[in-house]
């Protein structure tokens, strides 16, 4: 589990992150979203103990990251794939990580295979890797200690469509085994496909957070229902006192929970062909709406965020 409570970061008068709070539960993938400069990377660096917060705190598996003994065995972190040493080969990079973490060297070979870096690529120096290859190597470093938590900042950068699908499958399987994933990415459709929960940050503040179902439901909520007999269904809904509006081809949108709609239809003996939550415009529309609202309401006390200094190594 990851718990963030009131994390705040100031650089002089510039307020980069403002009282951010959220939780990432075991068995879930949490998508951490926001425009450039919103404070995502700064927040993740504070969670990992690389940036000292001005206020608030964060814990991973119940304690601050800095207090976790041999943290790479418990938390896999990828914050900057470009920070890997360019003079080492991929195999040397993972071999060193295995040595530092105290895991068998065989794990390095296993992880190279798992992330799709063949022996020929593993023998090449990292300085000659493409960005996508660096991302795969960084993910291998994050996984080599067999952690229960993953914290990944833009891990899909540079991956081709096949690589993105591979990463999505890997993260979903990791969470389904009980792992906790905090995933920052600008690839909204991919995050929507894999995440269970979303945390949206804009201007350094939380703009929205919740489950996929809560945040992506159409404004006002409601369900779409379609029956074998449209007239009978309409009558059943009216008899139950449920407001419904036609949606074409014998369907209705009802401003009520799905259970209430189903019970009303069952009580009237109406056969249902479709009953589902009404979807909104998807994560992309939610993201644009929330970030636009944040931009329209600037805080006169807020100075522009100051960029983080570049790290020199991938955090482990």
């Amino acid at each position: 589990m990851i718990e963030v409570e009131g994390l705040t970061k100031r650089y002089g008068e510039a307020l980069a992150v403002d009282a951010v709070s959220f939780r990432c539960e075991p068995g879930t993938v949490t998508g951490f979203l926001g425009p450039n400069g919103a404070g995502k990377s700064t927040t993740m660096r504070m969670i990992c103990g690389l940036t000292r917060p001005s206020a608030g705190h964060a814990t991973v598996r119940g304690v601050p990251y800095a207090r976790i003994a041999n943290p790479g065995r418990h938390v896999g972190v990828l914050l900057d794939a470009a920070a890997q040493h360019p003079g080492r080969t991929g195999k040397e990079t993972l071999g060193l990580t295995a040595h530092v973490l105290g895991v068998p060297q065989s794990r390095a070979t296993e992880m190279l295979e798992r992330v799709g870096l063949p022996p020929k690529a593993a023998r090449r120096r990292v300085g000659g890797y493409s960005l996508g290859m660096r991302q795969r190597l960084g993910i291998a470093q994050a996984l080599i200690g067999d952690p229960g938590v993953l914290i990944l900042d833009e891990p899909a950068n540079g991956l081709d469509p096949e690589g993105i699908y591979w990463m999505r499958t890997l993260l979903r399987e990791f969470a389904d085994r009980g792992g906790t994933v905090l995933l920052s990415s600008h690839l909204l459709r991919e995050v929507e496909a894999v995440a269970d929960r979303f945390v949206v940050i804009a201007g350094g503040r939380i703009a929205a957070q919740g489950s996929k179902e809560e945040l992506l439901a159409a404004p006002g909520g409601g369900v779409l229902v379609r029956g074998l007999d449209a007239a009978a269904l309409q009558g059943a809904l009216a008899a139950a006192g449920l407001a419904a509006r036609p949606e074409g081809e014998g369907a209705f949108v009802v401003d009520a929970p799905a259970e209430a709609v189903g019970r009303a239809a069952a009580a009237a003996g109406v056969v249902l062909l479709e009953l589902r939550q009404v979807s909104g415009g998807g994560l992309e529309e939610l993201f644009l709406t929330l970030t636009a609202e944040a931009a329209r309401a600037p805080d006169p006390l807020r100075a522009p965020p100051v960029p983080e200094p570049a790290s020199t190594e991938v955090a482990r």
Side-chain angles (χ1 to χ4, degrees), residues 67-194:
R67 286 173 47 194
I68 301 174
N70 200 358
R73 299 294 296 271
H74 307 281
V75 188
V77 178
L78 174 60
L79 299 184
D80 184 3
Q84 294 154 346
H85 195 297
R88 299 190 185 117
T89 66
K91 185 175 182 179
E92 288 171 344
T93 298
L94 283 195
L96 178 59
T97 303
H99 176 74
V100 170
L101 298 184
V103 300
Q105 287 294 314
S106 59
R107 282 285 291 174
T109 301
E110 179 186 341
M111 288 299 101
L112 286 166
E113 293 176 355
R114 185 173 182 185
V115 301
L117 288 175
K120 183 177 180 180
R123 291 191 296 268
R124 290 174 54 189
R125 296 188 185 277
V126 173
Y129 278 13
S130 67
L131 177 56
M133 293 172 69
R134 285 176 179 257
Q135 293 287 18
R136 288 176 183 268
L137 182 61
I139 293 170
Q141 280 188 294
L143 292 172
I144 196 169
D146 195 22
V149 176
L150 287 177
I151 299 175
L152 309 174
D153 190 4
E154 300 286 359
N157 275 358
L159 293 180
D160 57 20
E162 180 183 359
I164 291 173
Y165 176 80
W166 160 80
M167 187 196 68
R168 188 173 70 200
T169 302
L170 182 148
L171 297 182
R172 188 66 266 164
E173 291 176 349
F174 182 90
D176 290 344
R177 293 194 302 269
T180 304
V181 181
L182 176 60
L183 169 66
S184 168
S185 177
H186 68 280
L187 301 176
L188 300 183
R189 294 184 185 276
E190 295 306 321
V191 176
E192 183 175 354
V194 72

Side-chain angles (χ1 to χ4, degrees), residues 5-89:
E5 184 63 39
L7 272 186
T8 300
K9 183 60 183 178
R10 286 185 176 275
Y11 295 98
E13 295 300 315
L15 184 58
V17 177
D18 186 5
V20 165
S21 300
F22 60 87
R23 296 176 64 181
C24 305
E25 301 284 352
T28 65
V29 177
T30 299
F32 191 34
L33 310 172
N36 292 337
K40 301 188 302 299
S41 294
T42 301
T43 299
M44 297 178 89
R45 289 178 61 85
M46 287 192 284
I47 293 172
C48 297
L50 297 175
T51 295
R52 186 185 299 275
S54 303
H57 65 274
T59 59
V60 183
R61 307 190 72 170
V63 297
Y65 182 91
R67 286 173 47 194
I68 301 174
N70 200 358
R73 299 294 296 271
H74 307 281
V75 188
V77 178
L78 174 60
L79 299 184
D80 184 3
Q84 294 154 346
H85 195 297
R88 299 190 185 117
T89 66

Side-chain angles (χ1 to χ4, degrees), residues 198-213:
F198 303 122
V199 176
V200 183
I201 185 172
R205 297 172 176 169
I206 296 295
Q209 62 177 301
S211 69
K212 180 185 297 188
E213 291 75 18

